[in-house]
Amino acid sequence: MILGIGALVIGVALTVMGYVGVDINFNMISSLGVLVVGFLMLIKGADMFVEGASKIAAKFKIPQIVIGLTIVAMGTSAPEAAISISAAFQDAAAISVGNVIGSNIMNILLILGASALVSKLKIKPNTLKFEIPFVVFITAALLVLGWIGGGIDKIDGVIMLVLFACFLGYLFYLYKKGDSSAADDVPELSENDKLPIMILLTVLGLVSIVLGSDLTVNSAKNIAETIGIDDRTISLTVVAFGTSLPELITCITASLKNKPDIAIGNIIGSNIFNILFVVGLAGVFSPNPMAFGADFMIDAAVAIGSAVLLGLLVIRKKELSRLSGGIMLAAYVGYCVYLFV
């Protein structure tokens, strides 16, 4: 699985570079190798951190709903969070913001589109009535906040984290009503789960996330400089693809197992987490406001359009059909053509 993911990332990167006529040399291949290692460290580190931290919380009798709505639910957004915060500290705002926007566009158009081709995806009423419109709202809020001040600053970050807390409250409300899908599965303790081992697993996962994010940001910047493509384009495509791998794997697996509510819920929840939690944290911790240029206005508009398109495609039959999946994939191809032409 790990080797397959690495090969997939390299394949996507080489395809993009071949399309724009990049000369593939040793330095480029080595940078790609570092990029893949960074991605794999992020993904594996997130798994280790979530498993370890969840079990520690369970060990101390913290309610499963709290664990599910915090540690576990944030698990698939951990790579985006690590990349964006690391990029913010390295004065690479284009990667920090582009990673989130690119991941959200990719999550809906590419991942849900591909998942729908595997199996029809039914959608829950709550997702259609509240969560998809909420994604549109918060993405528009990101665009407005970025446009007003020319970037995302600490105050903007606090606003997003407050909205994130409101979203957690909504999930808790759903859970109290009996909707168990409001929280992700929480790992159960076994006799072999000793506290020192769980602490070690959590620490190793956190270290892997931090180191992986640094490797990914540095290699992405090197690749962008080498091939003459700006950080924004690299972050919207290659970096976004790498950090969206957990969502891709989860959704395709859910589709194959005929669990469509998991596929759509995972994507919509991840997009909300990405904007409110990831950008919010990056904005709070960034030493300087994260620049939000004119190009990102277009990208944010595409992210809004992607969520609106999803809503329109599912509103009548309450499902995402294979035809709808094809439409979404075509839309994503069109967006990529806009980026590289």
Side-chain angles (χ1 to χ4, degrees):
M1 175 66 77
I2 295 294
L3 292 177
I5 292 173
L8 186 59
V9 174
I10 291 178
V12 170
L14 290 176
T15 300
V16 171
M17 293 173 188
Y19 180 81
V20 296
V22 175
D23 179 31
I24 306 298
N25 52 39
F26 176 77
N27 289 334
M28 179 58 63
I29 294 175
S30 63
S31 293
L32 281 174
V34 173
L35 184 71
V36 170
V37 170
F39 282 147
L40 298 182
M41 289 180 67
L42 279 170
I43 295 168
K44 186 60 179 177
D47 285 342
M48 293 169 62
F49 177 78
V50 168
E51 182 179 356
S54 298
K55 288 184 175 181
I56 290 174
K59 190 80 170 179
F60 287 98
K61 309 300 182 182
I62 295 176
Q64 286 197 348
I65 176 60
V66 176
I67 301 171
L69 293 182
T70 54
I71 300 170
V72 177
M74 297 174 195
T76 56
S77 289
E80 285 90 348
I83 290 291
S84 293
I85 294 173
S86 178
F89 275 110
Q90 297 182 43
D91 198 25
I95 292 179
S96 187
V97 177
N99 172 47
V100 168
I101 296 177
S103 290
N104 281 16
I105 294 171
M106 190 172 292
N107 281 348
I108 292 179
L109 296 182
L110 179 61
I111 296 178
L112 276 186
S115 298
L117 292 182
V118 175
S119 174
K120 291 182 181 180
L121 305 178
K122 294 188 180 298
I123 187 168
K124 288 191 172 184
N126 282 331
T127 302
L128 181 59
K129 293 179 181 179
F130 176 80
E131 291 159 22
I132 292 178
F134 189 58
V135 169
V136 174
F137 168 73
I138 61 176
T139 309
L142 173 65
L143 189 155
V144 171
L145 290 174
W147 174 71
I148 290 176
I152 303 298
D153 58 20
K154 296 184 185 300
I155 294 178
D156 297 331
V158 170
I159 292 173
M160 292 180 183
L161 290 177
V162 170
L163 288 173
F164 177 66
C166 293
F167 178 66
L168 289 182
Y170 161 76
L171 293 180
F172 187 79
Y173 167 75
L174 288 184
Y175 181 82
K176 284 296 186 181
K177 286 181 60 178
D179 186 351
S180 61
S181 67
D184 293 313
D185 292 332
V186 177
E188 296 183 359
L189 293 176
S190 68
E191 295 181 357
N192 296 324
D193 289 320
K194 306 299 182 183
L195 186 59
I197 295 177
M198 292 187 290
I199 293 175
L200 178 61
L201 186 68
T202 305
V203 171
L204 289 177
L206 184 59
V207 170
S208 181
I209 290 173
V210 172
L211 293 179
S213 65
D214 284 341
L215 289 175
T216 302
V217 172
N218 289 331
S219 57
K221 291 178 69 175
N222 289 337
I223 291 171
E225 292 172 0
T226 301
I227 65 180
I229 295 179
D230 58 16
D231 287 353
R232 165 182 163 265
T233 303
I234 287 292
S235 65
L236 287 167
T237 53
V238 177
V239 176
F241 178 79
T243 55
S244 291
L245 281 173
E247 287 88 350
L248 175 62
I249 295 169
T250 300
C251 283
I252 295 296
T253 301
S255 296
L256 291 172
K257 292 183 178 180
N258 197 29
K259 295 182 178 180
D261 55 322
I262 295 178
I264 293 183
N266 175 60
I267 287 299
I268 298 303
S270 178
N271 280 17
I272 293 172
F273 274 65
N274 284 349
I275 291 179
L276 299 183
F277 178 67
V278 175
V279 177
L281 279 183
V284 168
F285 286 109
S286 177
N288 302 303
M290 297 185 295
F292 204 98
D295 288 332
F296 277 133
M297 299 295 177
I298 298 175
D299 300 322
V302 172
I304 294 171
S306 300
V308 171
L309 176 63
L310 173 62
L312 292 175
L313 290 174
V314 300
I315 193 170
R316 189 165 66 91
K317 294 186 176 181
K318 308 299 185 292
E319 68 177 19
L320 193 64
S321 65
R322 289 182 172 85
L323 175 60
S324 299
I327 292 172
M328 294 170 73
L329 288 175
Y332 187 71
V333 170
Y335 175 64
C336 290
V337 170
Y338 153 73
L339 286 177
F340 291 105
V341 173

